[in-house]
Amino acid sequence: MRKVITVLAADNLYRRKLFQLPDPFVVLTVDGSQTKTTKALERTLSPYWNESFTLEVKPTSVITAQVFDQRKFKKRGQGFLGVINVQISQHINVQAGGDAMVTQDLKNSNNSDPVQGRLVLQFSMEPARNRDPGRNTSPQAGPVSRSRVSSPSPSGAAASASASVAAVAGPVAGAAAGAAAAAGAASGASASAAPTGTTPSPPAGGPPARTSVRNTTESGDALPQGWEQRIDHLGRVYYVDHNTRTTTWRRPPASGPSQAEPADSERRRHMNRTLPDTNGGASTPRVGASAAPAAAASGASLGPLPSGWEHRFTPEGRPYFVNHIARTTTWDDPRLRGNQAPSSNRAAAVAGIAGQTASRLGPLPSGWEMRLTAQGRVYFVDHNTKTTTWDDPRLPSNLDQSVPQYKRDFRRKYIYFRSQAAMRPVPGQCHIKVSRNSIFEHSYNEIMRLSVSELKKRMMIKFEGEDGLDYGGVSREFFFLLSHEMFNPEYCLFEYSAHDTYTLQINPHSEINPEHLNYFRFIGRTMGLAIFHRRFLDAFFTSSFYKMILKKPVTLEDMQSVDADIYRSLKWTLENDISDMGFTFTVDDDRFGERVEIELKPDGKNIDVTEENKKEFVDLSVQYRVCGRIKEQFEAFQAGFYELIPEDLIQVFDERELELLIGGLDEIDIEDWKKHTDYRGYTESDQVVQWFWKFVNGMDSEHRTRLLQFTTGTSRLPVNGFKDLQGSDGPRRFTVEKSGDILALPKSHTCFNRIDLPPYTDYETLASKLSFAIENTVGFAQE
C-alpha cells in the first residue's frame, strides 16, 4: 500500500559546537528496506524541510527517521542528532486511509552523546476503496533485501548517509546500516546473511518484547509451519522458530522441519481447551450425551479454529466461541461466516484493535506500543523504560486486592468517563503565558479569551521570564498555584466552611465584587479544564458543593459544614415539639449588617410551623441556606464548568468520587512512595538513597507535600497513589537520579517526576541541601 510520508520539520536540535550550527538532514527508512533522504539545510537548529516521499507500507510497518549533521557526518559518532521510531498502526488506519501528524521527541542511540528536540512527520494515505484494486502493493522480490537504497538526495547527503550511518548512529540506525552495505557491496547482496551481532531472543516469561509479528514474509510468501517473521525496534527483520524456540536473521527454507507437527498439535490442543467448572469443581462442564460429540464432529470437519478463538460449552451443553483478540463471545462458528476472527497475522490484529481503542481513548502516549501475545492477549510496551505491562497506560492501573471498594468503583467509572468522545483532546497546542506574580488576573484574561475548542488542545503553559518547557510539570504547577489564588478567601469569592480552615464553600456575599459572576464562570471553566487535562486543584470543598455539581439534593447533614449553629438548631427542631414556638416559614439573613427576612414559600410569613409540617420547614431552610443564597454564583460556575465537562458524564460519579477527580489524594503513604520509585545511577541499597528516605520519614506532612510538589509540580496524588503518577505523556514513576556535584543543590524535573540527587558524603549535608531546595526554589529553567 502506497503512503506519502512528509518530513516537515524539527525543533530545538542539540548544538554540539558553541559557535557553529548544524546542517541537519533526515534519513527515512521503512521496515529496514526502503530508504529516503531529505536535503541538508544549512546552519539551523529548527530546520523546515517539508519534503514528501511515496513509500510502500503495511499495517505492521515501522518507520525510522534519523537526523544527522552533514558538517560532522563523516566523523565517526559526531554527526548523529537523534532518532524516532514510529509504528504506522498507532497513528493511522492503513485500510481506511486519512492523514495524521506525528510529533515525537528525538531519542539517543547506543552512545552517550546528548540529544534533544522533536521531529514532525506527516502521513497521508488514500482509503483502500480509492486505490486501484488491480495493483499489487506488496514487494515482488523474495525475502526483502535491506542492502538496497533509494536514489540519492539532491544535496548529496544521501551518499554520506549510505557510507556512514551505521558508524555514526550505532544499532539505532539499523535501516541505514543496510544502506552503507549497499554502497560498498554489490546491489544484489542478500539481507539474509548470518548476523555478526548477538541473535535476538524473546524474553522468558511475561509478554514477549517484540515490535511486530508476521506469519508471512514481506513479499507475502508463507513461512514454514511453526515459523514467524518479526521486526525489532530498530526495524530489522528476524525469524522465530517456535518448534525449537530459537531465532535467526536467516530466512528459513521453504520446507518446514518435522518438529512443527507436535508443536502445532500442542497449540491446537491449547486453543480448544475449556474452562473449569465455575462452581468450584476441577473438571470442565459436562454436556449432554449427544451435544459434545456432535459439536466435536462438526468442528473436526471444519478444521481448526482461527488463531485467537476458543470453543467452549455452556453448562447446558450449548457450544459457543470466544474471540480472545476482541474479547467478545458469540454463538456463531467463525469458520461458517465471512466475518471471521483476525487472521493468524497477529500484527494485523494489533492494528485493528489499536484503531478501535484509539477512537475511544485517544492515541497511546509517546514511546508506548500495543502488542499481542501468542494467545491473543493484548499487552503494552513502554519503550521509554523498556518494560511491558498488561495495563493500558491511558487508563488507571489495576488495583491490588486490598484496596477499598470505593477505589474499585471509582476506577470503573473513571475508565468509562475518559473513554467518551467529549473527553478526547483536540489535536494541536494551546499556549498560555502568565506571570507568577499576577497569575489570577493573567489566567482569567487568557482562559476567558480562548474558545472551548482551543482549551481542549494540549496545554502548553509558560511563566514569564522562565525558560521551562511544559511537558506536564509546568501545567501541574500552574494549576497548583492558580487554585491557591482562586480560592483565597481574601478575594471574597470563597470562604472556609464552618468546622475547619481548609474546606471551602462559595461566599454568599461575593457580590461585593461587581465582577464576581464573571470570576465564578472563570473558576468553573478552570475546574473543568483541570479535569479535562488530568490535573489536580489544591483545594477541597464542602460535600454540598460536590452534590450541587452532580445535581443531587442536599440534606440536613450537609448544613453542618455550612453553618454549625443553624444545623444544631434545625436538628433540635426535628427532635422536639415546636408547636408553641411561633415559627413561620421564614428565615432571617444577614446582608452586610442588615437583617433581611426571606420567605421559604409563597406567603410563608403567614404560615405557622407545626409538628405536621416542620420536616418541610427544615428541608426548605436547608435548601435556602445551602443553595438559595448562592444561586447566582453557582449558576455562573456551572456555565463555565459544563463548557468543558458534559453534565451527563460528570454525573456518573458520586460526591466522594468527584472530590477525588478534582483534588486527588492529599495523604502521602511513604511505603507506597518507596515501592513505586525508580533509581538511576543509584540502587535502593546505596547509602545516599537510605539517607533520602530517612529524611522523608523525618519530615512532617506539610514538608512531605512540599517535596512532592517540588518534584512533580503538584502536591496531590491520583486515587491509586504513586502507582499512577503521571508524567509528560503518560504514567511515569517517581525517580531518584544520581546527578550533580556534591556542593550543588538537588534539582527536580517536574515533567518526568525526577529529582537529581548528588552523591552527598553525609546525611547532614543531604538534609540541609534538600531542605533549602524545597523551601527556596521558584520557577523553571532549561538545561
Side-chain angles (χ1 to χ4, degrees):
M1 301 176 185
R2 292 187 176 274
K3 181 173 190 168
V4 177
I5 302 175
T6 302
V7 182
L8 287 177
D11 179 45
N12 194 28
L13 297 176
Y14 186 78
R15 179 190 292 195
R16 304 214 181 275
K17 292 286 187 178
L18 182 60
F19 301 106
Q20 183 177 343
L21 295 175
D23 294 347
F25 68 95
V26 176
V27 177
L28 198 68
T29 309
V30 179
D31 294 336
S33 60
Q34 306 171 70
T35 302
K36 300 288 185 180
T37 307
T38 69
K39 63 183 178 181
L41 300 182
E42 296 183 354
R43 295 184 294 279
T44 177
L45 295 176
S46 299
Y48 181 76
W49 295 282
N50 196 22
E51 292 190 40
S52 300
F53 306 97
T54 301
L55 297 164
E56 299 286 346
V57 299
K58 300 174 292 301
T60 60
S61 293
V62 177
I63 296 176
T64 301
Q66 302 163 85
V67 185
F68 297 96
D69 178 8
Q70 192 181 40
R71 289 173 176 264
K72 303 291 182 182
F73 189 68
K74 294 183 179 180
K75 297 182 180 181
R76 182 178 179 87
Q78 294 187 19
F80 181 68
L81 296 177
V83 63
I84 66 172
N85 291 291
V86 181
Q87 179 87 23
I88 287 288
S89 60
Q90 293 289 341
H91 302 280
I92 193 171
N93 189 319
V94 175
Q95 297 296 330
D99 299 317
M101 183 175 293
V102 178
T103 303
Q104 284 192 13
D105 292 337
L106 291 167
K107 305 293 184 182
N108 208 336
S109 61
N110 65 335
N111 55 38
S112 58
D113 293 335
V115 167
Q116 70 178 32
R118 293 170 291 182
L119 185 63
V120 184
L121 304 179
Q122 184 172 13
F123 303 147
S124 180
M125 174 174 284
E126 294 182 359
R129 62 178 178 275
N130 294 337
R131 294 193 288 268
D132 183 2
R135 184 182 64 189
N136 183 5
T137 59
S138 61
Q140 297 302 313
V144 177
S145 172
R146 293 190 302 257
S147 301
R148 302 187 180 273
V149 296
S150 60
S151 59
S153 164
S155 67
S160 300
S162 302
S164 306
V165 126
V168 174
V172 174
S187 61
S190 172
S192 61
T196 58
T198 304
T199 302
S201 59
R210 60 181 181 273
T211 298
S212 183
V213 180
R214 306 177 187 176
N215 293 331
T216 58
T217 64
E218 295 186 8
S219 63
D221 300 334
L223 290 169
Q225 275 283 31
W227 282 81
E228 187 179 331
Q229 176 178 310
R230 298 181 181 173
I231 297 177
D232 67 7
H233 69 287
L234 303 180
R236 300 174 297 184
V237 178
Y238 67 99
Y239 300 89
V240 181
D241 182 0
H242 292 289
N243 308 305
T244 61
R245 299 185 178 181
T246 58
T247 58
T248 180
W249 299 113
R250 194 182 298 273
R251 186 179 183 277
S255 58
S258 59
Q259 298 97 313
E261 295 182 4
D264 186 61
S265 62
E266 182 69 23
R267 187 179 300 107
R268 190 180 302 113
R269 184 166 63 253
H270 171 75
M271 292 306 298
N272 291 331
R273 72 193 188 282
T274 56
L275 287 177
D277 192 345
T278 56
N279 295 328
S283 61
T284 57
R286 297 192 175 275
V287 298
S290 60
S298 174
S301 64
L302 294 172
L305 286 165
S307 176
W309 284 78
E310 180 183 343
H311 189 189
R312 297 181 183 174
F313 295 92
T314 66
E316 295 77 23
R318 182 178 179 183
Y320 68 100
F321 300 87
V322 182
N323 183 351
H324 291 289
I325 295 176
R327 298 185 180 181
T328 58
T329 59
T330 178
W331 300 113
D332 302 326
D333 191 324
R335 297 165 292 188
L336 297 176
R337 55 193 175 97
N339 185 21
Q340 292 190 352
S343 68
S344 58
N345 188 341
R346 291 199 301 277
V350 169
I353 298 174
Q356 296 169 13
T357 57
S359 66
R360 295 187 298 107
L361 300 176
L364 287 165
S366 175
W368 283 79
E369 179 188 346
M370 177 189 292
R371 296 181 183 171
L372 290 180
T373 66
Q375 290 73 37
R377 182 177 178 184
V378 175
Y379 69 98
F380 300 88
V381 181
D382 182 2
H383 293 290
N384 305 305
T385 58
K386 298 181 180 179
T387 58
T388 59
T389 177
W390 302 115
D391 299 333
D392 191 323
R394 296 164 292 187
L395 300 174
S397 60
N398 288 329
L399 301 178
D400 299 330
Q401 295 298 321
S402 59
V403 302
Q405 182 62 38
Y406 79 88
K407 287 189 177 182
R408 299 180 181 278
D409 296 339
F410 176 79
R411 180 181 185 274
R412 174 174 50 82
K413 295 176 183 179
Y414 186 84
I415 291 174
Y416 168 79
F417 178 73
R418 288 295 176 193
S419 67
Q420 301 306 299
M423 300 307 297
R424 294 178 204 151
V426 174
Q429 294 180 345
C430 174
H431 293 268
I432 295 178
K433 187 174 182 179
V434 296
S435 167
R436 284 182 181 269
N437 297 328
S438 305
I439 189 170
F440 193 6
E441 293 81 0
H442 283 198
S443 301
Y444 173 83
N445 294 331
E446 289 290 306
I447 292 177
M448 298 304 289
R449 172 182 63 85
L450 296 168
S451 65
V452 173
S453 59
E454 283 291 317
L455 292 173
K456 287 188 174 183
K457 297 178 180 179
R458 176 178 176 178
M459 292 194 68
M460 301 294 289
I461 304 295
K462 184 174 181 61
F463 288 105
E464 290 183 358
E466 300 178 19
D467 297 329
L469 296 177
D470 186 9
Y471 288 98
V474 181
S475 60
R476 284 195 292 270
E477 178 152 338
F478 166 75
F479 281 107
F480 174 83
L481 297 175
L482 181 57
S483 59
H484 283 207
E485 287 295 301
M486 287 192 308
F487 306 123
N488 188 340
E490 293 182 2
Y491 291 119
C492 295
L493 298 175
F494 284 81
E495 64 182 5
Y496 293 124
S497 66
H499 56 73
D500 57 49
T501 57
Y502 61 85
T503 306
L504 295 162
Q505 61 187 3
I506 293 177
N507 188 341
H509 306 305
S510 63
E511 62 195 41
I512 193 174
N513 183 339
E515 295 293 324
H516 70 128
L517 296 182
N518 290 331
Y519 280 114
F520 276 110
R521 184 167 178 263
F522 158 71
I523 291 171
R525 184 180 267 206
T526 301
M527 186 176 291
L529 195 64
I531 294 175
F532 186 88
H533 291 287
R534 308 178 191 230
R535 301 293 184 254
F536 293 133
L537 299 178
D538 193 24
F540 288 115
F541 303 91
T542 59
S543 60
S544 59
F545 181 78
Y546 298 117
K547 284 186 174 182
M548 291 171 68
I549 294 177
L550 301 174
K551 297 189 178 299
K552 290 187 174 183
V554 295
T555 64
L556 177 59
E557 296 304 317
D558 298 317
M559 188 69 212
Q560 187 174 9
S561 60
V562 176
D563 192 318
D565 292 335
I566 295 180
Y567 164 75
R568 286 190 291 269
S569 175
L570 293 175
K571 192 172 181 64
W572 184 91
T573 300
L574 289 176
E575 296 171 350
N576 296 274
D577 188 351
I578 46 88
S579 301
D580 299 328
M581 301 295 293
F583 291 161
T584 61
F585 275 78
T586 60
V587 294
D588 293 334
D589 196 7
D590 185 4
R591 296 184 178 176
F592 302 106
E594 179 184 358
R595 184 70 66 180
V596 178
E597 185 180 67
I598 305 296
E599 291 186 338
L600 299 176
K601 58 191 303 187
D603 198 29
K605 62 182 178 181
N606 297 319
I607 301 175
D608 294 329
V609 178
T610 64
E611 283 296 302
E612 289 73 24
N613 62 15
K614 68 178 181 181
K615 178 65 169 61
E616 180 188 6
F617 168 75
V618 170
D619 291 342
L620 292 175
S621 297
V622 170
Q623 183 67 27
Y624 171 75
R625 294 196 178 275
V626 175
C627 306
R629 295 194 304 165
I630 59 171
K631 180 180 179 182
E632 290 184 346
Q633 295 94 319
F634 190 78
E635 287 177 349
F637 168 86
Q638 273 187 318
F641 183 82
Y642 290 145
E643 285 180 320
L644 287 115
I645 308 298
E647 179 180 342
D648 58 330
L649 283 186
I650 200 66
Q651 289 180 3
V652 302
F653 300 102
D654 61 27
E655 55 270 24
R656 167 61 176 157
E657 294 163 344
L658 182 58
E659 181 182 35
L660 293 173
L661 185 69
I662 295 172
L665 295 175
D666 65 336
E667 299 176 359
I668 297 177
D669 185 339
I670 297 180
E671 290 305 316
D672 179 59
W673 194 347
K674 292 174 67 175
K675 179 181 177 182
H676 297 101
T677 294
D678 290 337
Y679 303 96
R680 294 184 182 178
Y682 288 121
T683 64
E684 191 173 0
S685 60
D686 286 343
Q687 186 63 65
V688 174
V689 173
Q690 298 298 316
W691 287 338
F692 173 78
W693 291 117
K694 177 182 176 182
F695 177 75
V696 173
N697 275 289
M699 303 172 82
D700 57 29
S701 59
E702 179 184 353
H703 284 83
R704 285 185 197 137
T705 300
R706 291 187 184 182
L707 173 61
L708 182 63
Q709 199 273 332
F710 169 74
T711 311
T712 67
T714 180
S715 62
R716 301 306 176 96
L717 293 169
V719 67
N720 291 349
F722 286 91
K723 185 178 182 180
D724 271 356
L725 207 60
Q726 296 293 303
S728 56
D729 55 3
R732 192 174 291 270
R733 288 156 66 107
F734 184 89
T735 304
V736 179
E737 179 163 330
K738 184 178 183 178
S739 178
D741 187 82
I742 59 174
L743 299 177
L745 293 170
K747 293 185 296 185
S748 66
H749 305 266
T750 57
C751 296
F752 309 106
N753 301 327
R754 190 175 85 229
I755 182 170
D756 290 349
L757 196 62
Y760 297 119
T761 56
D762 57 81
Y763 173 76
E764 289 72 21
T765 302
L766 180 145
S768 63
K769 295 282 189 182
L770 197 52
S771 296
F772 187 87
I774 294 170
E775 296 290 342
N776 295 278
T777 299
V778 175
F780 293 91
Q782 285 189 29
E783 290 188 312

